[in-house]
Amino acid sequence: MDVTYLRLMYALMLPPDLLKTTDSFLETAPNDALSPSTFWKNEKDLELALTGIYNGFESGGSLMYRDAGSDNAYNNFPWEGWTNIGNGNLSAADSGASYYNFGTINRSNEFLENVDKATEVSEEKRAIYKAQVRFIRAYIYYVLTTNYGDAPLITENFATPEEAKVPRDSQEIIRKFIEDELKDVIGVLPESYPGGEYGKATKGAAQALLMRYYLYFKEYSKALTTAKEISGYSLNPTFEGLFDPANEQNSEVILSVQHTADFYAMDFTPFLPNGLGGWSSVVPTQSLVDAFEMADGKTIEEARETGEYDPSNPYKNRDPRLRATIVYPGQVFANQLYLSVEEGSNDYYNTADNASKTGYNFKKYTTFMDLDPGSPYWNMGNDIYIFRYAEVLLTIAEAKVELGQIDNELYEAIDKVRLRANMPAVDRAKYSSQESLKKLVRNERRVEFAMEGLRRDDIIRWEIAGDVLNGDLIGVKGTILKTV
């Protein structure tokens, strides 16, 4: 029914003195939907549109699943998208979990095309809004190009589906775009926001992304310079305390995915043991467990040679980050003894589908179950970290190692991370060569950031993925889950 017909209907029903109001009556804005003609006017409109862009630009669950695409973790359920990625069985018919989505880019472009219509908002404020959106768009393109290489670079939305049929742009073009965008917004974004507005892009977040970008693409001098420019953050006093929900806005956090119970909740069901009602979707490998040093700084291999490593009690006298990161057999977790190697236990690795097939579960981010075993783990408000200051320190260390700058600044950066975890400082006599320090720093990144989504990118950029992802997938007690 078109507008002309409606006007005629109303004209027949209305008395003559009201006919003159018919046009305006029929052309009022809809009350149940946003209209481009009435939107983009004030700060409330900009906040609403910005919230839509932040919503889903990164996923806490996705970050935690990502380790299943590395040698850190195993995903037992193929329909969740990570089993074949970790196993190396990707195909056109089953490409696994995908990051190939332009929804956030589309919303970002629309925002940038319309934000300056909100003339009620000061130009200075609009500049900060635009900088946040450009940061998010650059972040999405970083994810796209590190996962897929070439990708369509779309900075303006298309008017028709035909116009949207565009080819991919080269990674070189994408990289230049990311670098230019981040350099531009670093000088605009504030260091923080008033009123506890956490989760928004800050100057530090843009610097951290640029730092990570440079490190991924082996531009070590630029990575080092950018990392050293990041200020205003410090390590949380304890490693385990980082993941206490009551402490999620601590001084180490640069940017995190925000969650709120009952509104935008984080569901930890996939990451908990079967005995607690979890699915054990993403579980640690024996390789990751063995990466944690002994408490005195010896590697497992070194401790075996000296007789200090006890195979019958393998979790004794280990890096405290092991207990804070992984639930292992014999550990009390959520007031329950985890018995993944005991037949008859709900967590026995060879029993229920939802029991961990490696005999381990992740503990990082789920320590709230120790604090309150009755927590509604399917409806939690825990934030998941995207960038934290420990990454800045280990980037300084790695960049200096790669550049051959073996000096006090390098050792101090690693020591800060290790000492915070109650591990000994680096033995400078033992780790004095570039090769030995490279191995140390890489292992530090592995154990410090397990389950935080960094390991897959690390093994790819280090060009060791083919080595560490081939061979047997080992679980507790030497159980073999997969042979390559």
Side-chain angles (χ1 to χ4, degrees):
M1 188 177 294
D2 62 24
V3 173
T4 302
Y5 182 69
L6 283 171
R7 284 179 175 152
L8 178 61
M9 292 279 288
Y10 276 102
L12 292 173
M13 290 187 291
L14 293 173
D17 60 330
L18 292 181
L19 286 177
K20 61 184 179 181
T21 67
T22 303
D23 286 352
S24 61
F25 174 75
L26 291 172
E27 292 173 359
T28 56
N31 293 320
D32 62 346
L34 297 175
S35 167
S37 63
T38 58
F39 200 64
W40 307 111
K41 299 296 183 184
N42 51 48
E43 191 161 6
K44 182 180 178 181
D45 293 343
L46 298 187
E47 282 291 332
L48 186 60
L50 183 63
T51 300
I53 296 170
Y54 272 110
N55 180 23
F57 97 92
E58 183 55 275
S59 161
S62 178
L63 287 171
M64 294 176 71
Y65 265 88
R66 190 166 175 80
D67 263 20
S70 75
D71 53 341
N72 273 3
Y74 173 67
N75 175 221
N76 187 47
F77 306 116
W79 54 87
E80 292 182 335
W82 282 99
T83 306
N84 59 348
I85 295 176
N87 290 349
N89 296 328
L90 289 174
S91 67
D94 186 1
S95 58
S98 174
Y99 294 96
Y100 211 76
N101 188 305
F102 288 79
T104 298
I105 291 172
N106 179 278
R107 290 190 291 275
S108 298
N109 290 342
E110 183 178 14
F111 187 101
L112 294 171
E113 290 168 9
N114 291 282
V115 59
D116 286 327
K117 294 177 183 177
T119 53
E120 295 179 20
V121 182
S122 70
E123 187 175 348
E124 182 181 3
K125 279 190 173 182
R126 276 183 277 139
I128 294 174
Y129 278 112
K130 286 186 277 190
Q132 291 180 72
V133 172
R134 291 172 69 188
F135 164 82
I136 292 173
R137 189 173 59 177
Y139 182 94
I140 298 297
Y141 269 111
Y142 172 82
V143 172
L144 281 171
T145 199
T146 52
N147 281 279
Y148 303 106
D150 300 347
L153 178 58
I154 302 169
T155 58
E156 294 181 0
N157 288 342
F158 303 107
T160 68
E162 284 301 313
E163 292 179 17
K165 295 177 181 178
V166 295
R168 293 181 297 171
D169 290 285
S170 69
Q171 189 180 65
E172 288 71 24
I173 292 174
I174 303 294
R175 285 181 57 183
K176 185 177 188 309
F177 171 78
I178 294 169
E179 185 176 8
D180 289 347
E181 287 288 278
L182 292 175
K183 284 181 175 179
D184 280 351
V185 303
I186 283 171
V188 179
L189 288 168
E191 294 183 358
S192 62
Y193 293 86
E197 294 182 34
Y198 298 106
K200 286 187 172 182
T202 59
K203 175 183 179 179
Q207 290 173 313
L209 178 55
L210 185 61
M211 170 195 77
R212 187 183 287 181
Y213 160 87
Y214 284 138
L215 195 66
Y216 185 93
F217 290 108
K218 299 181 174 62
E219 296 190 51
Y220 298 114
S221 291
K222 292 181 178 180
L224 178 61
T225 299
T226 306
K228 291 171 69 171
E229 289 173 349
I230 297 174
S231 62
Y233 305 93
S234 60
L235 293 177
N236 190 64
T238 66
F239 178 79
E240 189 167 5
L242 264 172
F243 306 98
D244 180 346
N247 190 37
E248 61 190 10
Q249 306 300 346
N250 63 78
S251 61
E252 187 167 340
V253 180
I254 298 175
L255 184 66
S256 56
V257 181
Q258 303 287 293
H259 292 103
T260 304
D262 299 320
F263 178 68
Y264 190 69
M266 177 68 191
D267 182 1
F268 286 95
T269 306
F271 311 108
L272 288 170
N274 179 60
L276 295 172
W279 298 340
S280 302
S281 291
V282 182
V283 295
T285 63
Q286 187 66 46
S287 172
L288 173 60
V289 172
D290 290 346
F292 289 86
E293 296 175 348
M294 303 298 290
D296 63 1
K298 289 186 179 70
T299 66
I300 293 298
E301 293 77 14
E302 292 167 342
R304 282 196 180 106
E305 292 177 1
T306 60
E308 296 174 63
Y309 176 76
D310 181 2
S312 65
N313 194 2
Y315 315 113
K316 182 180 179 182
N317 296 328
R318 299 290 293 277
D319 182 336
R321 288 174 291 189
L322 172 60
R323 183 178 182 85
T325 302
I326 294 172
V327 184
Y328 49 76
Q331 184 180 152
V332 175
F333 177 60
N335 280 353
Q336 293 186 23
L337 191 60
Y338 183 69
L339 298 173
S340 62
V341 294
E342 301 291 334
E343 292 190 45
S345 166
N346 287 333
D347 291 313
Y348 183 55
Y349 69 90
N350 205 23
T351 307
D353 283 345
N354 288 343
S356 168
K357 299 309 173 212
T358 66
Y360 298 106
N361 278 89
F362 276 107
K363 186 177 183 181
K364 183 179 282 188
Y365 284 121
T366 67
T367 51
F368 63 87
M369 293 296 291
D370 269 340
L371 301 171
D372 179 11
S375 296
Y377 52 77
W378 59 91
N379 181 30
M380 297 298 293
N382 305 47
D383 296 343
I384 306 297
Y385 304 140
I386 300 174
F387 302 109
R388 57 185 179 91
Y389 189 61
E391 184 180 352
V392 177
L393 292 171
L394 291 183
T395 296
I396 291 172
E398 181 178 347
K400 291 184 78 70
V401 169
E402 295 291 345
L403 293 168
Q405 299 177 12
I406 301 175
D407 58 17
N408 193 55
E409 183 180 43
L410 185 162
Y411 287 110
E412 285 186 349
I414 307 174
D415 285 346
K416 286 177 183 178
V417 175
R418 290 175 63 86
L419 292 171
R420 186 270 297 273
N422 290 323
M423 285 294 288
V426 177
D427 182 337
R428 299 192 182 191
K430 176 182 175 182
Y431 295 102
S432 58
S433 69
Q434 185 179 36
E435 195 57 37
S436 63
L437 280 166
K438 183 183 295 186
K439 185 176 180 180
L440 176 67
V441 171
R442 290 182 177 186
N443 199 69
E444 277 298 313
R445 283 184 66 92
R446 185 179 190 184
V447 299
E448 177 73 20
F449 301 119
M451 201 58 166
E452 296 183 49
L454 296 184
R455 179 64 177 176
R456 179 172 173 80
D457 286 353
D458 281 350
I459 62 175
I460 290 172
R461 67 185 179 85
W462 292 331
E463 300 177 6
I464 63 171
D467 298 324
V468 301
L469 289 178
N470 280 315
D472 295 337
L473 173 61
I474 304 296
V476 70
K477 286 193 168 182
T479 53
I480 299 177
L481 285 77
K482 175 184 73 72
T483 300
V484 177

